[in-house]
Amino acid sequence: MTSQHKKSGLTALTVAAVGIVYGDIGTSPLYTMKEVFSEKHGLVLNTPNLLGVVSLIVWGLILIVSLKYVTLILRADNREEGGIMALMALALSSVGKASRWYFPVTVIGLFGAALFYGDSVITPAISVLSAIEGLEVATPVLKPYVVPLTVAILVGLYALQSRGTAGIGSWFGPIMLVWFFTLAAMGIVNIVQAPEVLVALNPWHAIIFLNDNRLIAFIALGAVVLAFTGAEALYADMGHFGAKPIRLAWFSIVFPALALNYLGQGGLLLSNPGAVSNPFFHQLGAWSTYPLVILSTVATVIASQATISGTFSMTRQAIALGFLPRMKIVHTSAMQIGQIYIPIVNWLQLTAVLIAVTGFGSSSNLAAAYGIAVTATMLVTTILTFFVLRYRWKYNLALTMLGTGFFLVIDLAFFSANTLKILHGGWFPLLLGLFLFTIMLTWKQGRRLVFENLNKHAIPLKDFLRSLFKTPPMRVPGTAIFLHGDIDGVPHALLHNLAHNKVLHERVVFLTVRMVEVPWMPVSERVQIEELGNQCYQIIIQYGFKDEPHVPQALELCKQYGLEFEMLATSFFIARQTILSSPGTGMARWREHLFIGMSRIARGAADYYQIPPNRVIELGTQVEI
């Protein structure tokens, strides 16, 4: 590939990253300054405070986004994949299953992932609502229509998810380029009118602000952090674009536009303090309100779409890693494997978003609910990064503690400030996060209990086969594939088949599908085959948590090992487990019943692994936990 082609490819990826990665953080100027100087925070709007807040925001973008995420976190890739699930998997593989840190890291990572779901509910709600609230600036007469319009837009957005975004996704980048150009242009206009705001580039103003205001400044940090929401998306979307385009987009487009706009809003408030009610929509005067409402609505819809797609992607990863039950996953594009739609997640998330919009009623009320989930996720990311630096990269302990400790102090400061807002709305994402955390931990522990029960009663496979072929049963034509878990035991389906049918196929395959803690498994490492004698084989198929499981395709790889499968002559035997709760063991009774309920509605193994349904024979088995 020529250097010119490489350059054009990098440019295209950079533009695409602007559209997908930076929608959330790019729409933060809509509400951040308004919330910082909201009357409920008690922060007086004067020149020292204004310069201090703007300085905090600009230097927060430098330290938290540029230094922590763009420079450090993007390096902690899991085979070029990012996101809280990928980072947790990387940290877990770094410490090892035998480590005393394995379970704590799992719990911390799951909590961070659960809070991501809470964040993904607030983001569409506050983004679209804050954009539509621009109508109030144009005329107070339109205020009663803000919430209904927001609800209508969000319902339409979620209703379109089943069709995918492949058709319109190519427009996201160019539209967001226009958005960031507009942010920068508005900022420059107001900086020219009040150039004294540029002194806020000196971090000393932030330090003076924190020192002079103490408690009030601490409370204000809970709103300042709204400028950094969406920073996690830089890392989560690394697998789609790569680190280089994300870095290039940030330093060349997004950061300059955001910094200029926040400085510009600061300049506006220096010259016109009355604009504090909604600084964003006052930046260019009354003539610009309606165009800005239209542009910001489109930008927030794009930001919401990126959040929804991220939720689908993380749900699929959680399913593959064994933290959620198998669900129906629909591929909305034949060209792009990452374009997926998960119906139950889509409608549950829409329900939660609509509850947030109608329950809180305004972006100001939602802002109280927003920061707690974001800062907690940032905190979890820093902690998980410590384990990667220490155990994967083998950094010196003191250096690792110094590097992550610096960011940990910043994260703790913002998180602590947001804990003050728990009673004023912060409880909402925490409640959502706690619910999802309970679901994921219960499912993981429930599957472990099932595994332990099966393992306890398992008959060693090789010993069983040796005993079986001393007086072999009748063999019939064809191939039988018995799916069984990652245990050295005879599949229940085989025992049932022998007990009831008294026959064995001429070729028998014991198939184990193993999900590993990496995003992608190379095709060359996908299949492992062990010959057990008497035309019996053990096949292990390995997938990463971002791979698309497809057993028939994987079986085609067995040709290179001398095994060929004709689907019309192959039967898949699967044991469908019925989970029973037994008193006195395992989890609490209510958690056992929760796990049993999830097991009943979980997608079947044959469907999930894309095995032809007319080749599947299911046999029931009961398992106590």
Side-chain angles (χ1 to χ4, degrees):
M1 183 183 289
T2 66
S3 59
Q4 185 175 355
H5 285 156
K6 287 182 179 179
K7 186 175 180 180
S8 62
L10 178 61
T11 302
L13 281 173
T14 302
V15 172
V18 169
I20 301 297
V21 178
Y22 293 107
D24 190 356
I25 197 170
T27 52
S28 295
L30 280 165
Y31 44 79
T32 299
M33 291 294 284
K34 179 180 72 172
E35 291 310 315
V36 172
F37 289 102
S38 173
E39 292 181 0
K40 60 189 175 186
H41 293 140
L43 184 62
V44 178
L45 177 58
N46 56 37
T47 299
N49 288 349
L50 184 57
L51 293 177
V53 166
V54 175
S55 184
L56 266 177
I57 291 174
V58 172
W59 279 95
L61 291 172
I62 293 171
L63 293 176
I64 295 175
V65 185
S66 299
L67 192 58
K68 176 184 172 181
Y69 281 94
V70 178
T71 304
L72 174 63
I73 302 296
L74 283 184
R75 293 186 61 216
D77 65 286
N78 192 338
R79 297 198 181 185
E80 300 184 352
E81 284 292 332
I84 194 76
M85 277 289 178
L87 185 61
M88 179 182 70
L90 185 64
L92 288 173
S93 63
S94 300
V95 300
K97 289 189 176 182
S99 170
R100 61 192 174 97
W101 293 111
Y102 192 85
F103 182 71
V105 169
T106 301
V107 172
I108 292 169
L110 279 184
F111 187 65
L115 287 173
F116 174 85
Y117 282 103
D119 181 23
S120 69
V121 167
I122 304 295
T123 296
I126 193 173
S127 299
V128 177
L129 193 54
S130 61
I132 303 299
E133 281 174 348
L135 294 173
E136 296 181 30
V137 177
T139 169
V141 175
L142 295 175
K143 185 175 181 178
Y145 302 99
V146 169
V147 170
L149 272 174
T150 301
V151 168
I153 290 170
L154 288 168
V155 169
L157 175 64
Y158 278 88
L160 291 172
Q161 292 305 305
S162 60
R163 301 183 181 182
T165 58
I168 61 172
S170 58
W171 290 96
F172 288 177
I175 291 172
M176 291 306 293
L177 277 179
V178 172
W179 170 256
F180 284 113
F181 173 79
T182 304
L183 290 182
M186 291 193 300
I188 291 171
V189 167
N190 287 285
I191 290 170
V192 169
Q193 294 178 356
E196 59 269 27
V197 76
L198 291 174
V199 300
L201 292 173
N202 184 346
W204 186 245
H205 287 279
I207 297 171
I208 292 175
F209 168 74
L210 293 172
N211 183 64
D212 289 351
N213 291 278
R214 303 291 173 89
L215 179 60
I216 297 296
F218 179 69
I219 295 172
L221 285 179
V224 169
V225 77
L226 295 174
F228 319 130
T229 57
E232 283 288 328
L234 277 73
Y235 182 51
D237 289 315
M238 182 167 57
H240 295 131
F241 304 102
K244 192 172 183 180
I246 291 176
R247 289 192 178 106
L248 184 59
W250 172 254
F251 286 115
S252 64
I253 300 169
V254 181
F255 173 62
L258 290 175
L260 286 170
N261 194 261
Y262 283 120
L263 286 165
Q265 289 192 46
L268 170 68
L269 293 178
L270 282 176
S271 56
N272 180 18
V276 72
S277 61
N278 203 324
F280 182 86
F281 288 102
H282 282 97
Q283 287 181 92
L284 295 180
W287 68 268
S288 67
T289 303
Y290 287 114
L292 280 178
V293 168
I294 294 171
L295 180 60
S296 59
T297 300
V298 174
T300 54
V301 166
I302 291 174
S304 301
Q305 177 59 57
T307 302
I308 296 166
S309 299
T311 305
F312 292 158
S313 178
M314 196 178 77
T315 300
R316 184 172 71 171
Q317 295 176 31
I319 292 170
L321 288 169
F323 293 113
L324 285 174
R326 293 185 293 262
M327 305 175 195
K328 182 180 180 181
I329 299 176
V330 179
H331 291 269
T332 58
S333 172
M335 304 296 293
Q336 301 178 22
I337 192 169
Q339 294 280 341
I340 60 172
Y341 166 67
I342 306 178
I344 188 172
V345 173
N346 184 71
W347 299 115
L348 285 175
Q349 188 179 37
L350 173 61
T351 302
V353 169
L354 294 183
I355 289 172
V357 170
T358 55
F360 287 90
S362 71
S363 62
S364 294
N365 293 335
L366 272 169
Y370 202 9
I372 191 76
V374 174
T375 52
T377 305
M378 289 179 173
L379 191 62
V380 168
T381 298
T382 301
I383 295 171
L384 293 178
T385 303
F386 168 84
F387 288 98
V388 174
L389 291 174
R390 176 62 178 154
Y391 295 98
R392 169 73 58 163
W393 297 351
K394 307 297 182 184
Y395 277 22
N396 175 274
L397 180 60
L399 182 63
T400 303
M401 294 184 69
L402 181 65
T404 55
F406 172 73
F407 296 115
L408 194 67
V409 170
I410 296 175
D411 293 338
L412 281 171
F414 282 113
F415 176 74
S416 301
N418 275 278
T419 58
L420 300 176
K421 299 190 292 185
I422 289 178
L423 295 179
H424 303 285
W427 59 268
F428 183 67
L430 286 180
L431 185 63
L432 288 175
L434 182 62
F435 175 73
L436 265 298
F437 176 77
T438 303
I439 290 288
M440 290 192 285
L441 196 61
T442 298
W443 182 258
K444 187 69 172 179
Q445 290 185 332
R447 292 308 304 168
R448 179 180 56 81
L449 290 172
V450 169
F451 175 85
E452 289 175 353
N453 181 285
L454 292 174
N455 202 34
K456 181 170 63 176
H457 299 98
I459 304 170
L461 179 59
K462 292 181 180 179
D463 292 345
F464 175 82
L465 291 177
R466 277 194 295 269
S467 174
L468 178 67
F469 286 110
K470 286 180 179 178
T471 54
M474 179 187 298
R475 308 294 287 262
V476 295
T479 299
I481 298 180
F482 294 91
L483 268 70
H484 70 135
D486 205 357
I487 55 175
D488 180 26
V490 181
H492 284 189
L494 173 61
L495 295 175
H496 284 300
N497 186 52
L498 287 171
H500 294 285
N501 299 322
K502 316 294 184 184
V503 296
L504 195 67
H505 286 70
E506 63 183 354
R507 186 170 62 171
V508 178
V509 173
F510 302 100
L511 178 63
T512 298
V513 180
R514 183 180 294 166
M515 296 294 182
V516 293
E517 293 172 344
V518 297
W520 310 103
M521 177 59 64
V523 175
S524 59
E525 302 175 27
R526 174 87 69 218
V527 174
Q528 299 174 11
I529 299 176
E530 179 185 359
E531 188 171 353
L532 304 176
N534 297 292
Q535 287 289 351
C536 296
Y537 302 88
Q538 169 69 58
I539 297 179
I540 296 175
I541 300 175
Q542 298 188 108
Y543 291 106
F545 56 77
K546 294 203 74 172
D547 282 319
E548 179 65 23
H550 197 297
V551 166
Q553 286 183 0
L555 291 176
E556 290 179 9
L557 299 175
C558 297
K559 289 181 181 178
Q560 59 187 313
Y561 302 102
L563 278 180
E564 292 192 39
F565 294 90
E566 172 58 49
M567 282 296 117
L568 293 178
T570 302
S571 299
F572 292 82
F573 290 81
I574 300 175
R576 175 169 283 276
Q577 297 168 346
T578 299
I579 312 298
L580 302 176
S581 174
S582 57
T585 60
M587 300 179 289
R589 289 298 296 274
W590 67 269
R591 290 185 67 199
E592 288 185 351
H593 287 292
L594 174 62
F595 174 72
I596 291 170
M598 288 191 288
S599 299
R600 287 174 180 167
I601 64 172
R603 185 181 177 190
D607 187 27
Y608 183 72
Y609 295 131
Q610 302 187 60
I611 300 170
N614 61 342
R615 307 312 308 163
V616 174
I617 299 170
E618 287 191 341
L619 300 170
T621 182
Q622 293 185 340
V623 181
E624 287 189 349
I625 58 171

